[in-house]
Amino acid sequence: MTSTISLLSPVEADLDAMTMNLRKLVGAKHPILYAAAEHLFSAGGKRLRPAIVLLVARATMGSAEITARHRRLAEITEMIHTASLVHDDVVDEAGTRRGVPTVHSRFNNRVAVLAGDFLFAQSSWYLANLDNLEVVKLLSEVIMNLAEGEIDQGLNRFDTSLTLEAYLQKSYYKTASLVANSSKAAAILSDVERSVAERLYSYGRHVGLAFQVVDDILDFTSSDEVLGKPAGSDLRSGNLTAPVLYALEEFPQLEGPIEREFSEEGDIETALELVRSSQGIERSRALARHHVEQAIEDVMVLAPSAAREALVGLAHYAIERIY
């Protein structure tokens, strides 16, 4: 499988500078919040979202150097993503993230919520200072979408009538909106034609959905060690993802354990076995492949460059993780 290190080589130096600058941006005025943020930024994430922003910037700027506003947009994107993870972990009562203790388990829920709020507030401040109203609107919409996605997921727990369309909408809110809108924002800062900016929004949307579908597949096919959290944890918490929704079509008897929220002995084991023995995982792979193909088609609107090839490679990487 292609490594993210090789894929991100066109922006590796940019990403290293971004990580160092994020620590400065967060600042040390609030020692506990700073410690929480430092813990997050040191947790070994792949930095894919800011990498896509920087790659779009390089691919759309041609031979010109990317601007300070492009770099700040990448930092804002990582701040928003990190803030959302902190809040998600509190809601999900997750003990680990990327194999290390979550902020709320290392500190407490109050600190975690405040740390997330702190990062959202900082991202909004730096976003406003980009002085581009359209970009402000795009990234503000992301923050709203993140909240909507979390609410949708909470309201639809253990709901076996959930449709695939509703699942994809929630996945867009929680994952793809940030990739899509920040990709478009980077293109806007490069002053590209409107049609190109829209294609890059579409690229980000499809890549984001592909990554989410693949993550949902891995929840059933990977070990606890690989995931950094217990396998099958989404299903246990009532979050019904693509493999489960497809399995429900094939095995209606899966409804029982889910609707009684796995309250009887052996329910979760039965449900996991039904999902794994169904066509749900393979159909989810096909769904992810569809979004990867669409993403690659969108990004080909750009002129050939190392950055464009890296964007294509990232789309391929999304699906390679399940083979």
Side-chain angles (χ1 to χ4, degrees):
M1 184 173 73
T2 308
S3 73
T4 52
I5 294 173
S6 62
L7 283 173
L8 303 184
S9 58
V11 292
E12 193 62 38
D14 300 322
L15 286 169
D16 289 342
M18 179 204 75
T19 302
M20 290 180 62
N21 204 40
L22 276 172
R23 294 187 172 99
K24 295 176 185 175
L25 291 180
V26 169
K29 292 180 183 177
H30 308 284
I32 292 180
L33 294 183
Y34 177 76
E38 177 77 6
H39 173 65
L40 286 163
F41 294 137
S42 302
K46 293 185 176 70
R47 305 178 297 179
L48 292 178
R49 291 157 186 81
I52 288 173
V53 169
L54 292 163
L55 287 168
V56 168
R58 291 205 171 275
T60 51
M61 287 296 286
S63 58
E65 182 54 45
I66 63 173
T67 67
R69 293 201 298 172
H70 286 119
R71 296 182 188 279
R72 181 51 51 86
L73 177 63
E75 293 159 358
I76 291 166
T77 299
E78 185 70 347
M79 278 187 188
I80 291 172
H81 173 58
T82 304
S84 72
L85 294 184
V86 180
H87 284 173
D88 283 358
D89 287 340
V90 173
V91 171
D92 297 340
E93 299 180 348
T96 60
R97 164 76 65 176
R98 300 166 182 162
V100 299
T102 53
V103 173
H104 73 89
S105 63
R106 182 174 175 182
F107 300 94
N108 56 54
N109 279 358
R110 186 168 181 270
V111 168
V113 171
L114 291 172
D117 290 348
F118 180 55
L119 288 171
F120 274 131
Q122 284 230 315
S123 68
S124 298
W125 167 254
Y126 289 115
L127 180 60
N129 280 278
L130 289 178
D131 289 327
N132 185 303
L133 182 58
E134 187 170 8
V135 170
V136 170
K137 288 180 177 179
L138 285 170
L139 274 295
S140 297
E141 183 178 356
V142 170
I143 296 173
M144 182 174 65
N145 287 163
L146 287 166
E148 287 184 83
E150 198 61 50
I151 292 167
D152 283 353
Q153 183 168 299
L155 292 176
N156 292 308
R157 290 174 68 243
F158 302 104
D159 181 4
T160 56
S161 67
L162 184 73
T163 64
L164 186 69
E165 290 72 25
Y167 156 78
L168 288 171
Q169 184 65 59
K170 182 265 295 181
S171 298
Y172 171 78
Y173 285 155
K174 288 198 66 175
T175 302
S177 173
L178 179 56
V179 186
N181 284 294
S182 60
S183 295
K184 182 178 179 180
I188 288 168
L189 293 178
S190 298
D191 200 27
V192 301
E193 292 181 8
R194 175 63 50 182
S195 60
V196 174
E198 292 300 336
R199 291 296 291 273
L200 289 167
Y201 166 87
S202 182
Y203 166 84
R205 176 179 175 274
H206 287 298
V207 163
L209 289 174
F211 268 98
Q212 185 58 61
V213 173
V214 169
D215 280 348
D216 293 338
I217 293 169
L218 291 172
D219 193 48
F220 292 98
T221 61
S222 283
S223 65
D224 295 5
E225 292 76 17
V226 171
L227 292 171
K229 62 179 181 177
S233 59
D234 280 336
L235 181 58
R236 293 170 198 270
S237 66
N239 179 23
L240 307 189
T241 57
V244 180
L245 297 177
Y246 285 133
L248 278 163
E249 294 178 12
E250 193 174 342
F251 296 123
Q253 64 266 38
L254 181 55
E255 289 182 10
I258 294 173
E259 290 177 351
R260 59 178 174 262
E261 301 185 12
F262 309 118
S263 58
E264 296 183 8
E265 187 176 350
D267 272 354
I268 188 63
E269 291 79 12
T270 298
L272 288 169
E273 178 56 33
L274 285 172
V275 173
R276 287 168 176 154
S277 62
S278 75
Q279 291 298 306
I281 290 171
E282 189 50 49
R283 291 178 71 186
S284 298
R285 284 192 179 111
L287 178 63
R289 281 195 298 271
H290 163 75
H291 286 294
V292 167
E293 289 163 4
Q294 292 297 307
I296 292 170
E297 184 178 320
D298 284 321
V299 83
M300 297 312 285
V301 71
L302 299 174
S305 68
R308 188 189 77 171
E309 290 314 301
L311 290 167
V312 171
L314 280 173
H316 284 300
Y317 170 76
I319 199 79
E320 286 175 0
R321 295 181 301 148
I322 48 176
Y323 291 101

